[in-house]
């Protein structure tokens, strides 16, 4: 069955964004600093104690249940999503732009938290980005329930860390299936390609 949703007005969404996104950005910066720091033992211990204290403070307050997302005017706002979640510090996050004809694109920066081989993006992270972007195209901006059935990723060369772009589009549809394609590119061209099949789940078909 479908996930749980809390319906928000635009004003309520703006409040959530203004409250929690700056915290998420601060934690994202902390993750990068944690990976790259060469501070001495005393500074590391002081930082660990401070992070532990902040974690206890946050957990002492209300906690949003796992699996709960927001909807605004029928539009899904997945705040915890690993690719686009505004409240998820491990998300890049992607900001997805939709165009006429079902195409979508995103420009984003991947830093040290996404490294695989030295200086390059982990292949699994590339697959994550492409899976989400193809899903965005197939589901018309997350307005239709279509989930990944299969996805095939072809790595043409290493994807460097830093500024990247991803594009995706629907090739064609067949009944309950949408066939999508896309790629990631850097300043010199395409690094990874993907194609996938996205399927309307049984519960959504039953509701029609």
């Amino acid at each position: 069955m479908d996930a749980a949703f809390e319906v928000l007005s635009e004003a309520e969404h703006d409040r959530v964004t203004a409250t929690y996104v700056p915290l998420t950005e601060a934690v994202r910066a902390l993750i990068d600093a944690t990976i790259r720091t060469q501070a001495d033992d005393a500074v590391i211990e002081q930082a660990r104690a401070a992070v532990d204290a902040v974690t206890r403070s946050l957990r002492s307050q209300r906690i949003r249940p796992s699996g709960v997302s927001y909807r605004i005017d029928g539009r899904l706002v997945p705040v915890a999503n690993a690719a686009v979640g505004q409240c998820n510090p491990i998300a890049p996050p992607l900001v997805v732009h939709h165009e006429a004809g079902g195409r979508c694109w995103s420009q984003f920066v991947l830093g040290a938290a996404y490294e695989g081989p030295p200086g390059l993006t982990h292949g699994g992270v590339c697959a994550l980005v492409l899976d989400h972007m193809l899903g965005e195209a197939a589901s018309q901006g997350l307005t239709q329930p279509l989930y990944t059935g299969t996805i095939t990723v072809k790595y043409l060369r290493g994807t460097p860390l830093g500024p990247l772009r991803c594009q995706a589009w629907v090739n064609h549809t067949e009944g309950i299936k949408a066939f999508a394609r896309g790629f990631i590119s850097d300043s010199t061209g395409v690094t990874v390609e993907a194609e996938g099949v996205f399927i309307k789940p049984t519960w959504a078909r039953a509701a029609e």
Side-chain angles (χ1 to χ4, degrees), residues 147-205:
Y147 296 161
T148 309
T150 62
I151 185 167
T152 302
V153 181
K154 182 178 180 181
Y155 299 90
L156 306 181
R157 59 183 172 88
T159 301
L161 295 174
L164 298 167
R165 180 182 177 91
C166 186
Q167 297 185 54
W169 62 93
V170 174
N171 230 19
H172 65 283
T173 59
E174 294 179 7
I176 62 171
K177 298 179 180 179
F179 296 77
R181 297 179 63 90
F183 62 82
I184 295 174
S185 59
D186 63 5
S187 60
T188 61
V190 175
T191 63
V192 191
E193 299 174 337
E195 57 184 16
V197 181
F198 294 80
I199 304 171
K200 182 175 291 187
T202 302
W203 61 260
R205 284 176 257 165

Side-chain angles (χ1 to χ4, degrees), residues 80-94:
N81 185 279
V84 297
Q86 290 182 305
C87 295
N88 187 345
I90 69 168
L94 305 179

